[in-house]
Amino acid sequence: MIILQRVLFVLLSGFFMAHAVAADSTISISGRVRDNGCAVATDSKEFTVRMGSEADKQFPTVGAATRPVPFSIVLSPCGTAATAVKVGYTGPADNDNPTLLRLSAGASSAGGIGVQILDKNRRALALNASSSSLEWTPLTPGQTNILSFHARLMSTRVPVTAGQVTATATFTLEFQ
């Protein structure tokens, strides 16, 4: 009986194997990698925006601000497919006004003010904004591009106390 079961098993196994179908298929994958990024020029990787010296009396009310001080971020070289960029600024937010960059703490630091970052048209940029809320800035492909911004001091409470103004932000770039 055991021999008959083995013979049947071998015969049935061969029957099912004979009906197994194998096929070789090829999948082609194609695409393209575009050169849509830019490098940040050496002078734009780390720099200081000199805000100058302002009198504490220039800030008589909350929201009083200094004149905007221009600064630039230079992107060079830019790829031949670089058409637009989003620029975001991140850093510690001011405790009284979270849209402003908080000043670095220290015994000699000014008080009651923060730093506002503005675009080239002097519109306030949101600090610590999500990428989806940032606007695209057009770029000229294959060339050096200069992105213009401004910074200004703004009072967050009164009275403003005199002292050193130091703040740090990081900018991030997203290319289209």
Side-chain angles (χ1 to χ4, degrees), residues 61-64 94 96-97 100 111-114 154-158 160:
T61 60
V62 171
D94 184 81
D96 297 316
N97 183 342
L100 304 179
I113 57 175
M154 181 179 283
S155 60
T156 59
R157 56 186 148 88
V158 289
V160 167

Side-chain angles (χ1 to χ4, degrees), residues 34-47:
R34 295 181 298 133
D35 186 10
N36 72 328
C38 299
V40 177
T42 303
D43 291 347
S44 293
K45 288 185 179 179
E46 290 189 28
F47 60 95

Side-chain angles (χ1 to χ4, degrees), residues 18-19 25 46 66 69 80 82 84 86 93 95 97 107 114-115 117 120 141 172:
H19 293 287
S25 298
E46 290 189 28
T66 61
V69 175
T80 56
K86 286 184 178 183
N95 294 331
N97 183 342
V115 178
I117 300 174
K120 69 178 182 179
T172 55

